[in-house]
């Protein structure tokens, strides 16, 4: 990203408030989902707000070094995603082998499928689709 283009303080504060609001929406949404409260669906847009903020910031500052950008995203997002999938796979093998399927685990790593109990990671493949469009 081109760090020479700075975001004005007023815009930066607005983004910080939006991030806080999105975070609270996600936490509250999950709380309401646990109790089958219909307000969960009203508040179920927090992650989309984060995606919009990210898109705005990347568009505002620009991406000048494409290889560095993608290697950074792989290191910061995809590697933890793979690590988490491996941890969950080992736990399933150790404690609930009947719920483990190697094909489903590989599909999750390739971001073309989802393991049971991992639906909360739906946004990672969406994020990478956004990165590819960028």
């Amino acid at each position: 990203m081109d760090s020479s283009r700075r975001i004005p303080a007023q815009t930066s504060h607005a983004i910080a408030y939006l991030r806080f609001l999105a975070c609270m929406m996600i936490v509250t949404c999950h709380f309401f989902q646990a109790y089958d409260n219909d307000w969960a669906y009203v508040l179920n847009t927090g992650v989309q707000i984060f995606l919009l903020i990210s898109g705005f910031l990347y568009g505002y500052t620009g991406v000048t070094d494409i290889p560095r950008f993608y290697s950074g995203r792989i290191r910061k997002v995809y590697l933890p995603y793979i690590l988490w999938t491996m941890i969950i796979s080992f736990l399933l093998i150790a404690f609930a082998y009947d719920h483990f399927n190697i094909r489903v685990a590989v599909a999750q790593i390739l971001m073309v499928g989802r393991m049971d109990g991992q639906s909360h990671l739906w946004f990672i493949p969406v994020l990478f689709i956004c990165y590819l469009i960028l």
Side-chain angles (χ1 to χ4, degrees):
M1 292 190 347
D2 181 10
S3 59
S4 63
R5 188 168 177 198
R6 311 280 295 160
I7 296 174
Q10 188 176 7
T11 303
S12 180
H13 292 307
I15 290 171
Y17 293 133
L18 276 174
R19 289 176 63 195
F20 176 79
L21 176 67
C23 182
M24 291 296 102
M25 289 173 71
I26 291 168
V27 170
T28 307
C29 173
H30 285 292
F31 177 79
F32 284 149
Q33 282 176 340
Y35 295 101
D36 290 326
N37 188 309
D38 289 338
W39 276 97
Y41 301 102
V42 174
L43 299 168
N44 198 18
T45 56
V47 174
Q48 291 86 341
I49 292 172
F50 277 120
L51 288 172
L52 287 171
I53 291 170
S54 294
F56 170 77
L57 292 173
Y58 285 127
Y60 190 86
T61 57
V63 176
T64 55
D65 188 352
I66 301 292
R68 183 175 173 209
F69 171 79
Y70 283 114
S71 68
R73 301 295 71 79
I74 289 169
R75 190 175 56 256
K76 292 178 183 178
V77 179
Y78 188 60
L79 290 180
Y81 177 81
I82 291 173
L83 179 64
W84 178 253
T85 300
M86 291 172 53
I87 291 169
I88 292 301
S89 296
F90 288 130
L91 289 172
L92 286 174
I93 290 168
F95 299 108
Y97 186 74
D98 54 326
H99 291 281
F100 178 75
N101 182 320
I102 189 69
R103 288 183 184 163
V104 176
V106 170
Q108 175 149 337
I109 288 172
L110 297 174
M111 295 191 279
V112 295
R114 185 74 51 231
M115 293 171 59
D116 288 343
Q118 301 305 302
S119 62
H120 63 284
L121 298 175
W122 66 268
F123 68 95
I124 300 291
V126 171
L127 193 60
F128 271 87
I129 289 170
C130 291
Y131 291 155
L132 289 174
I133 292 171
L134 175 71

